[in-house]
């Protein structure tokens, strides 16, 4: 029985884990004139409906201000998000954290000029 369970685990679970990975990179920009934060989360996948960026968290000076749940990725390479954040001032830190639907996360931060 133990061998059967182990075989099932190896055949069904491990392949999904092997292809799971956190986002590769996050490109962040903030435009003070429009007060818009834009992030491009780089996450290569062959199945953007089943393996995708499932959540994006936005932070301002270490405090989470936005949490967005996502049901599928834009395309096989990336997820783009944009947010209107009017309270940002010069010198503030903005962070973007992207979560893979299977495994892993990545966080990047910029300081607004």
């Amino acid at each position: 029985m133990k061998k059967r369970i182990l075989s099932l685990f190896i055949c069904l679970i491990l392949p999904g884990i092997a292809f799971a990975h956190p986002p590769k990179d996050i490109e962040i920009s903030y435009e003070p004139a429009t007060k818009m934060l834009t992030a491009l989360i780089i996450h290569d996948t062959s199945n953007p409906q089943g393996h995708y960026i499932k959540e994006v968290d936005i932070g301002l000076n270490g405090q989470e201000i936005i949490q967005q749940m996502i049901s599928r990725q834009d395309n096989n390479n990336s997820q783009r998000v944009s947010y209107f954040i009017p309270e940002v001032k010069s010198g503030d830190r903005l962070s973007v954290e992207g979560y893979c639907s299977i495994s892993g996360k990545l966080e990047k931060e910029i300081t607004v000029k």
Side-chain angles (χ1 to χ4, degrees):
M1 181 66 160
K2 287 184 180 181
K3 286 183 180 181
R4 180 177 265 167
I5 292 172
L6 181 59
S7 295
L8 188 63
F9 177 79
I10 289 171
C11 292
L12 297 177
I13 306 299
L14 284 183
I17 294 171
F19 292 110
H21 54 277
K24 184 186 294 183
D25 195 14
I26 303 175
E27 300 170 7
I28 308 169
S29 64
Y30 182 77
E31 181 56 51
T34 60
K35 310 234 180 253
M36 291 296 295
L37 167 76
T38 301
L40 181 66
I41 304 168
I42 309 301
H43 183 254
D44 294 324
T45 178
S46 61
N47 178 11
Q49 293 86 9
H51 179 200
Y52 56 94
I53 297 301
K54 71 171 183 172
E55 180 181 335
V56 177
D57 295 341
I58 305 300
L60 175 61
N61 297 321
Q63 294 277 100
E64 185 178 298
I65 59 169
I66 297 171
Q67 180 183 43
Q68 180 183 4
M69 304 305 291
I70 299 171
S71 60
R72 71 176 308 262
Q73 194 166 297
D74 287 342
N75 57 57
N76 289 12
N77 306 100
S78 63
Q79 175 68 46
R80 182 177 301 276
V81 293
S82 296
Y83 306 98
F84 177 66
I85 309 176
E87 62 270 24
V88 176
K89 302 176 300 302
S90 179
D92 282 348
R93 292 175 293 114
L94 285 166
S95 63
V96 177
E97 191 167 20
Y99 293 81
C100 173
S101 64
I102 298 175
S103 176
K105 65 179 181 172
L106 179 66
E107 181 176 15
K108 292 283 181 119
E109 182 178 280
I110 62 167
T111 300
V112 177
K113 295 181 180 178

